[in-house]
Amino acid sequence: MSFRNDFVWGAATSACQIEGAAFEDGKGKSIWDVYAHLPGKVFEGEHGDVACDHYHRFEEDVKLMAELGISAYRFSISWPRVMPEGTGPVNEKGILFYSRLVDCLLSHGITPYVTLYHWDQPYELYKKGGWLNPDSPKWFAEYARTVGEALGDRVKHFITFNEPQVFIGLAFVDGVHAPGHRMSRAETLLMAHHVLLAHGMASQALRACVPEVQVGYAPTSDVPVPVSDSPEHVAAARNAYFAMPENGDWSWNVSWWSDPVMLGHYPEDGLRILEPDLPLIRQDDMKTIFQKPDFYGQNIYRGIPVSAAGNGTGNKVGDGAGGWRKEKRSPGSPKTAIGWPVDFDCLYWGVKFLYERYQTPIFVTENGMSSHDWPSLDGKVHDPARIDYLHRHLRGLRRAAEDGVDVAGYFQWSLMDNFEWARGYNDRFGLIYVDFETQKRLPKDSFYWYRDVIRGNGENL
Ligand code: FCB
């Protein structure tokens, strides 16, 4: 056995990172449009005003996708492009753009996977308190319904949220992503609760207006990778993945973000540890949140080597629960250009642990790496490290499928180089090189490598 016959081979992007046209055709401002223009927030003062100019070049980009041979393309909708104020009036030109993109994808045999929220909240809603406002779940449901009604005759796959860990955690706990305010733990937990409610209400809205809809969710977290396959190390890694750290560092906790959606309740250890700062959680809230997704997505880039601590008390550097220890990496161990450590087995263990707990078909909704790519003297972009990274991670994913994990698909991040948030244009994650001066696209070696993997349904990995 290997990848299933209908395995979905895809690539992913997000609106704010590729579209550009940030102030065109009636689009409202997003929090990122504003934040990126504040001094010192984004590397070298860059922003997404133009990015890959995909808004004007999507037809060329879809042709490249067809050449790559992907069966699905995961992109996000810019909420303020379709609803400039976040609620109320709809910008028909914004809808038209996505409608044409969807038609173009379908005419090339590519299935659209639409993410509703990939971090670019309408600035007008942020001014009303953003995710702190108790009406924020309703706003999101109204937006989901608007998109569902506009595209649901052709789009059947929707993902409510991309990485809530980041747009709440990095933005409000660490304060380094838009809108960049550090808030108290009670405030950020309240926002998280609203986001979970928004997931539930948006799922209900989509299920009510899109026939045969498949709703998904795409959180993230580093994956604890056991130092060996022996049962005590595996158990330690599993605990490390799901246990709430005793120090209450909750924002990257898998269970906090996924148990309510997938199992209908917050994890008990989290409720205990975070008790003094919890928002009011009503019984009905859990019913609203528990709109179990049809598929579970997880963005996986990195692992953490973990072993059994042996003393049953846990010993993670700084916190720990459930008898596990974070191992030090060896000097000079592999890192990508952005500085993220590389653990080749993170896809294998990630999807395995998640499937054990949630028993729902799994997609890797993002995986990939940044490297220092440029066109060589021969005019080509050689990116052997990316090929090796993808090769080894996909082997791990295949091994998980062989072990019986219901792995439904894989979206490489990213189709093309793009605006990497606070890191500006410093990090190139694409299979396609983008010259941001000329907007010329140049498929990298990894593009052709991935094309061949897709053609062989991963048999040649
Ligand atoms: C993920 C984000 C995506 C991109 C990659 C590199 O956290 O979802 O937008 O920035 O990292």
Side-chain angles (χ1 to χ4, degrees):
M1 228 188 89
S2 180
F3 291 114
R4 47 201 251 189
N5 288 336
D6 60 352
F7 189 79
V8 174
W9 292 99
T13 63
S14 87
C16 178
Q17 294 179 273
I18 65 163
E19 283 179 4
F23 310 102
E24 262 181 74
D25 283 349
K27 176 178 169 294
K29 278 188 282 191
S30 78
I31 50 173
W32 270 96
D33 295 328
V34 175
Y35 180 78
H37 285 278
L38 300 176
K41 297 297 185 191
V42 174
F43 180 71
E44 289 180 341
E46 289 299 347
H47 47 69
D49 293 4
V50 178
C52 306
D53 197 29
H54 173 75
Y55 187 76
H56 298 114
R57 296 168 195 263
F58 74 90
E59 283 162 331
E60 175 189 352
D61 292 335
V62 173
K63 270 196 202 118
L64 285 165
M65 294 179 213
E67 196 185 327
L68 178 59
I70 49 177
S71 48
Y73 171 51
R74 176 179 173 229
F75 63 97
S76 79
I77 296 211
S78 157
W79 184 352
R81 192 181 294 289
V82 301
M83 299 174 89
E85 288 156 41
T87 56
V90 172
N91 176 27
E92 291 305 332
K93 285 189 177 164
I95 295 280
L96 187 65
F97 166 68
Y98 293 110
S99 190
R100 289 173 62 209
L101 172 61
V102 164
D103 288 343
C104 188
L105 289 166
L106 292 174
S107 73
H108 286 84
I110 300 168
T111 305
Y113 278 63
V114 166
T115 310
L116 288 176
Y117 192 79
H118 202 124
W119 310 354
D120 45 354
Q121 186 170 52
Y123 188 63
E124 291 306 315
L125 294 184
Y126 169 65
K127 289 202 295 197
K128 295 183 184 159
W131 294 113
L132 266 183
N133 190 315
D135 286 336
S136 54
K138 269 192 247 151
W139 301 336
F140 189 65
E142 181 190 338
Y143 159 59
R145 197 185 56 243
T146 305
V147 173
E149 282 170 356
L151 304 178
D153 55 336
R154 288 152 292 158
V155 176
K156 300 297 169 191
H157 299 85
F158 289 90
I159 291 165
T160 53
F161 283 103
N162 182 70
E163 300 190 354
Q165 288 85 353
V166 173
F167 72 80
I168 299 294
L170 279 192
F172 296 102
V173 178
D174 303 316
V176 296
H177 265 212
H181 295 155
R182 295 183 82 169
M183 299 249 180
S184 71
R185 195 164 76 174
E187 285 166 318
T188 50
L189 283 167
L190 178 62
M191 284 187 205
H193 191 61
H194 289 153
V195 168
L196 292 170
L197 285 166
H199 162 83
M201 289 174 64
S203 303
Q204 287 169 332
L206 289 169
R207 285 177 173 152
C209 72
V210 181
E212 290 162 35
V213 71
Q214 296 270 301
V215 179
Y217 182 47
T220 190
S221 189
D222 289 354
V223 177
V225 173
V227 290
S228 86
D229 285 5
S230 78
E232 73 272 22
H233 295 312
V234 172
R238 188 185 291 110
N239 277 344
Y241 207 19
F242 296 112
M244 177 65 71
E246 285 295 335
N247 67 1
D249 185 2
W250 66 278
S251 61
W252 289 88
N253 182 248
V254 171
S255 316
W256 195 259
W257 288 109
S258 294
D259 284 9
V261 167
M262 303 303 294
L263 306 176
H265 52 78
Y266 279 110
E268 272 178 24
D269 57 353
L271 289 173
R272 174 178 54 79
I273 293 166
L274 302 172
E275 207 274 326
D277 292 321
L278 288 179
L280 173 68
I281 303 168
R282 288 163 306 192
Q283 198 56 36
D284 280 0
D285 288 356
M286 297 323 290
K287 257 196 246 148
T288 305
I289 292 170
F290 186 35
Q291 300 297 316
K292 198 172 173 196
D294 302 289
F295 62 93
Y296 183 87
Q298 185 90 358
N299 296 351
I300 300 178
Y301 289 90
R302 320 193 302 200
I304 311 164
V306 159
S307 67
N311 58 11
T313 59
N315 196 14
K316 183 187 173 223
V317 186
D319 50 59
W324 57 279
R325 174 165 52 211
K326 178 177 174 181
E327 291 295 331
K328 196 170 171 299
R329 294 170 197 281
S330 44
S333 55
K335 279 198 180 59
T336 64
I338 201 170
W340 294 354
V342 179
D343 289 272
F344 300 118
D345 291 328
C346 65
L347 281 199
Y348 172 73
W349 288 107
V351 299
K352 203 173 160 74
F353 289 150
L354 291 163
Y355 186 65
E356 278 172 10
R357 192 170 178 96
Y358 300 130
Q359 297 287 312
T360 300
I362 294 213
F363 282 76
V364 174
T365 31
E366 288 180 23
N367 169 251
M369 64 164 270
S370 72
S371 56
H372 297 298
D373 304 319
W374 62 84
S376 296
L377 284 174
D378 63 6
K380 297 184 175 152
V381 181
H382 303 295
D383 56 345
R386 177 170 294 103
I387 291 174
D388 191 65
Y389 175 102
L390 296 175
H391 195 159
R392 299 211 214 191
H393 282 76
L394 281 168
R395 276 189 181 184
L397 193 63
R398 185 175 62 184
R399 186 175 150 217
E402 286 163 359
D403 279 9
V405 175
D406 190 358
V407 189
Y410 172 86
F411 290 91
Q412 190 273 345
W413 184 273
S414 175
L415 177 73
M416 55 184 154
D417 296 339
N418 57 48
F419 174 65
E420 179 49 33
W421 308 111
R423 313 242 336 157
Y425 296 92
N426 196 43
D427 286 285
R428 294 181 176 273
F429 276 89
L431 297 172
I432 299 169
Y433 179 88
V434 177
D435 178 330
F436 293 103
E437 294 292 321
T438 62
Q439 292 296 344
K440 207 169 162 296
R441 276 79 163 132
L442 189 56
K444 304 178 189 176
D445 288 354
S446 57
F447 176 99
Y448 299 105
W449 176 85
Y450 189 45
R451 180 193 63 184
D452 292 344
V453 171
I454 296 171
R455 280 185 185 161
N457 199 32
E459 288 304 325
N460 41 355
L461 285 167

Coordinates of all heavy atoms in Angstrom, one line a residue, residues 136-175:
S136 N -17.6 38.9 17.2 CA -16.7 38.5 16.1 C -17.1 37.1 15.5 O -17.0 37.0 14.3 CB -15.3 38.5 16.6 OG -15.1 37.8 17.7
P137 N -17.6 36.2 16.2 CA -18.0 34.9 15.6 C -19.1 35.1 14.6 O -19.2 34.5 13.5 CB -18.5 34.0 16.7 CG -17.8 34.6 17.9 CD -17.7 36.1 17.7
K138 N -20.1 36.0 14.9 CA -21.2 36.3 14.0 C -20.6 37.0 12.7 O -21.1 36.7 11.6 CB -22.2 37.3 14.7 CG -23.3 36.5 15.4 CD -24.4 37.5 15.8 CE -24.4 37.5 17.3 NZ -24.9 38.8 17.9
W139 N -19.7 37.9 12.9 CA -19.1 38.6 11.7 C -18.5 37.5 10.8 O -18.7 37.6 9.6 CB -18.0 39.5 12.1 CG -18.3 40.7 13.0 CD1 -19.6 41.2 13.2 CD2 -17.4 41.4 13.9 NE1 -19.5 42.2 14.2 CE2 -18.1 42.3 14.6 CE3 -16.0 41.3 14.1 CZ2 -17.6 43.2 15.5 CZ3 -15.4 42.1 15.0 CH2 -16.2 43.1 15.7
F140 N -17.8 36.6 11.4 CA -17.1 35.6 10.5 C -18.1 34.7 9.8 O -18.0 34.3 8.7 CB -16.2 34.8 11.4 CG -15.3 33.9 10.6 CD1 -14.3 34.4 9.8 CD2 -15.4 32.5 10.7 CE1 -13.5 33.6 9.0 CE2 -14.5 31.7 10.0 CZ -13.6 32.2 9.1
A141 N -19.2 34.4 10.6 CA -20.2 33.5 10.0 C -20.9 34.2 8.8 O -21.2 33.6 7.7 CB -21.2 33.1 11.0
E142 N -21.1 35.5 8.9 CA -21.7 36.3 7.8 C -20.8 36.3 6.6 O -21.3 36.1 5.5 CB -22.0 37.7 8.3 CG -22.7 38.6 7.3 CD -22.7 40.1 7.7 OE1 -22.6 40.4 8.9 OE2 -22.8 40.9 6.7
Y143 N -19.6 36.5 6.9 CA -18.6 36.4 5.8 C -18.5 35.0 5.1 O -18.5 34.9 3.9 CB -17.2 36.8 6.3 CG -16.0 36.4 5.6 CD1 -15.8 36.8 4.3 CD2 -15.0 35.6 6.2 CE1 -14.6 36.4 3.6 CE2 -13.8 35.3 5.5 CZ -13.7 35.7 4.2 OH -12.5 35.3 3.5
A144 N -18.5 34.0 6.0 CA -18.5 32.6 5.4 C -19.7 32.4 4.5 O -19.6 31.8 3.5 CB -18.5 31.6 6.6
R145 N -20.9 32.8 5.0 CA -22.1 32.6 4.2 C -22.0 33.4 2.9 O -22.4 32.9 1.8 CB -23.3 33.1 5.0 CG -24.6 32.5 4.4 CD -25.9 33.1 5.1 NE -25.9 34.5 5.1 CZ -25.9 35.3 6.2 NH1 -25.8 34.8 7.4 NH2 -25.9 36.6 6.0
T146 N -21.5 34.6 2.9 CA -21.3 35.4 1.7 C -20.5 34.7 0.7 O -20.8 34.6 -0.5 CB -20.7 36.8 2.1 OG1 -21.5 37.4 3.1 CG2 -20.6 37.7 0.8
V147 N -19.3 34.1 1.2 CA -18.4 33.4 0.3 C -19.1 32.1 -0.2 O -19.1 31.7 -1.4 CB -17.1 33.1 1.0 CG1 -16.2 32.2 0.1 CG2 -16.4 34.4 1.3
G148 N -19.7 31.4 0.7 CA -20.4 30.1 0.4 C -21.5 30.4 -0.7 O -21.6 29.6 -1.7
E149 N -22.3 31.4 -0.5 CA -23.3 31.7 -1.5 C -22.7 32.1 -2.9 O -23.3 31.8 -3.9 CB -24.3 32.8 -1.0 CG -25.2 32.2 0.0 CD -26.0 33.3 0.8 OE1 -25.8 34.5 0.5 OE2 -26.9 32.9 1.6
A150 N -21.6 32.8 -2.8 CA -21.0 33.3 -4.1 C -20.3 32.2 -4.9 O -20.3 32.1 -6.1 CB -20.1 34.4 -3.8
L151 N -19.6 31.3 -4.1 CA -18.7 30.3 -4.8 C -19.2 28.9 -4.6 O -18.6 28.0 -5.3 CB -17.3 30.5 -4.3 CG -16.7 31.8 -4.4 CD1 -15.3 31.8 -3.8 CD2 -16.6 32.3 -5.8
G152 N -20.1 28.6 -3.7 CA -20.4 27.3 -3.3 C -21.0 26.4 -4.4 O -21.1 25.2 -4.2
D153 N -21.4 27.0 -5.5 CA -21.9 26.1 -6.6 C -20.7 25.4 -7.3 O -20.8 24.4 -7.9 CB -22.7 27.0 -7.7 CG -21.8 28.2 -8.2 OD1 -20.9 28.6 -7.4 OD2 -22.1 28.6 -9.3
R154 N -19.5 26.0 -7.1 CA -18.3 25.4 -7.7 C -17.2 25.0 -6.7 O -16.4 24.1 -7.0 CB -17.7 26.4 -8.7 CG -18.5 26.7 -9.9 CD -18.3 28.0 -10.5 NE -18.8 29.1 -9.6 CZ -18.5 30.4 -9.6 NH1 -17.5 30.8 -10.5 NH2 -19.0 31.2 -8.8
V155 N -17.2 25.6 -5.5 CA -16.2 25.3 -4.5 C -16.9 24.4 -3.4 O -17.9 24.8 -2.9 CB -15.6 26.5 -3.8 CG1 -14.6 26.1 -2.7 CG2 -14.9 27.4 -4.9
K156 N -16.3 23.2 -3.2 CA -16.8 22.3 -2.2 C -16.0 22.1 -1.0 O -16.4 21.5 0.0 CB -17.1 20.9 -2.8 CG -18.0 21.0 -4.0 CD -19.4 21.4 -3.6 CE -20.3 21.7 -4.8 NZ -21.5 22.4 -4.5
H157 N -14.7 22.6 -1.1 CA -13.8 22.4 0.0 C -13.4 23.8 0.7 O -12.8 24.6 0.0 CB -12.5 21.7 -0.5 CG -12.8 20.4 -1.0 ND1 -13.1 20.2 -2.3 CD2 -12.8 19.1 -0.4 CE1 -13.4 18.9 -2.5 NE2 -13.1 18.2 -1.4
F158 N -13.7 23.9 1.9 CA -13.5 25.1 2.6 C -12.7 24.8 3.9 O -13.0 23.8 4.6 CB -14.8 25.8 3.0 CG -15.5 26.4 1.9 CD1 -16.4 25.7 1.2 CD2 -15.2 27.7 1.5 CE1 -17.1 26.2 0.1 CE2 -15.9 28.3 0.4 CZ -16.9 27.5 -0.3
I159 N -11.7 25.7 4.2 CA -11.0 25.6 5.5 C -11.3 26.9 6.2 O -11.2 28.0 5.7 CB -9.5 25.5 5.2 CG1 -9.2 24.1 4.6 CG2 -8.7 25.7 6.5 CD1 -7.9 24.0 3.9
T160 N -11.8 26.7 7.5 CA -12.2 28.0 8.2 C -11.0 28.8 8.6 O -10.9 29.9 8.1 CB -13.0 27.6 9.5 OG1 -12.2 26.7 10.2 CG2 -14.3 27.0 9.1
F161 N -10.1 28.2 9.3 CA -9.0 29.0 9.9 C -7.6 28.4 9.5 O -7.4 27.2 9.7 CB -9.1 29.2 11.4 CG -10.1 30.2 11.8 CD1 -11.4 29.7 12.3 CD2 -9.9 31.5 11.7 CE1 -12.3 30.6 12.6 CE2 -10.9 32.4 12.1 CZ -12.1 32.0 12.5
N162 N -6.7 29.3 9.2 CA -5.3 28.9 9.1 C -4.6 29.3 10.4 O -4.6 30.5 10.7 CB -4.6 29.6 7.9 CG -3.2 29.2 7.7 OD1 -2.9 28.0 7.4 ND2 -2.2 30.0 8.1
E163 N -4.0 28.3 11.0 CA -3.1 28.6 12.1 C -3.5 29.6 13.2 O -2.9 30.7 13.3 CB -1.7 29.0 11.6 CG -1.1 27.9 10.8 CD 0.4 28.1 10.4 OE1 0.9 29.2 10.8 OE2 1.0 27.3 9.8
P164 N -4.6 29.3 13.9 CA -5.0 30.3 15.0 C -3.9 30.5 16.0 O -3.8 31.6 16.5 CB -6.2 29.6 15.6 CG -6.2 28.2 15.2 CD -5.5 28.1 13.9
Q165 N -3.0 29.5 16.1 CA -1.8 29.7 17.0 C -1.0 30.9 16.6 O -0.5 31.6 17.5 CB -0.9 28.5 16.9 CG -1.4 27.2 17.5 CD -2.2 26.4 16.5 OE1 -2.6 26.8 15.4 NE2 -2.6 25.2 16.9
V166 N -0.9 31.2 15.3 CA -0.1 32.3 14.9 C -0.9 33.6 15.0 O -0.4 34.6 15.5 CB 0.5 32.1 13.5 CG1 1.2 33.3 13.0 CG2 1.4 30.8 13.5
F167 N -2.1 33.7 14.5 CA -2.7 35.0 14.4 C -3.2 35.4 15.8 O -3.5 36.6 16.0 CB -3.8 35.1 13.3 CG -5.1 34.4 13.5 CD1 -6.1 34.9 14.3 CD2 -5.3 33.2 12.8 CE1 -7.3 34.2 14.5 CE2 -6.5 32.5 13.0 CZ -7.5 33.0 13.8
I168 N -3.3 34.5 16.7 CA -3.5 34.9 18.1 C -2.2 34.9 18.9 O -1.8 35.9 19.5 CB -4.6 34.0 18.8 CG1 -5.9 34.0 18.1 CG2 -4.7 34.4 20.3 CD1 -6.7 35.3 18.2
G169 N -1.5 33.8 18.8 CA -0.2 33.7 19.6 C 0.8 34.7 19.2 O 1.3 35.5 20.0
L170 N 1.3 34.6 17.9 CA 2.3 35.5 17.5 C 1.9 37.0 17.6 O 2.6 37.9 17.8 CB 2.9 35.2 16.1 CG 3.9 34.1 16.0 CD1 4.5 34.1 14.6 CD2 5.0 34.1 17.0
A171 N 0.6 37.2 17.2 CA 0.1 38.6 17.2 C -0.1 39.2 18.5 O 0.2 40.3 18.8 CB -1.1 38.6 16.3
F172 N -0.8 38.4 19.4 CA -1.2 39.1 20.7 C -0.5 38.6 21.9 O -0.5 39.2 22.9 CB -2.7 38.8 20.9 CG -3.5 39.5 19.8 CD1 -4.1 38.8 18.7 CD2 -3.8 40.9 19.9 CE1 -4.8 39.4 17.8 CE2 -4.5 41.5 18.9 CZ -5.1 40.8 17.8
V173 N 0.1 37.3 21.8 CA 0.9 36.9 23.0 C 2.3 37.4 22.8 O 2.8 38.1 23.8 CB 0.9 35.3 23.1 CG1 1.7 34.9 24.3 CG2 -0.6 34.8 23.3
D174 N 2.9 37.2 21.6 CA 4.2 37.7 21.4 C 4.3 39.1 20.8 O 5.3 39.8 20.9 CB 5.0 36.7 20.5 CG 5.0 35.3 21.0 OD1 5.2 35.2 22.2 OD2 4.7 34.4 20.3
G175 N 3.2 39.5 20.2 CA 3.2 40.9 19.6 C 4.0 41.2 18.4 O 4.4 42.3 18.2

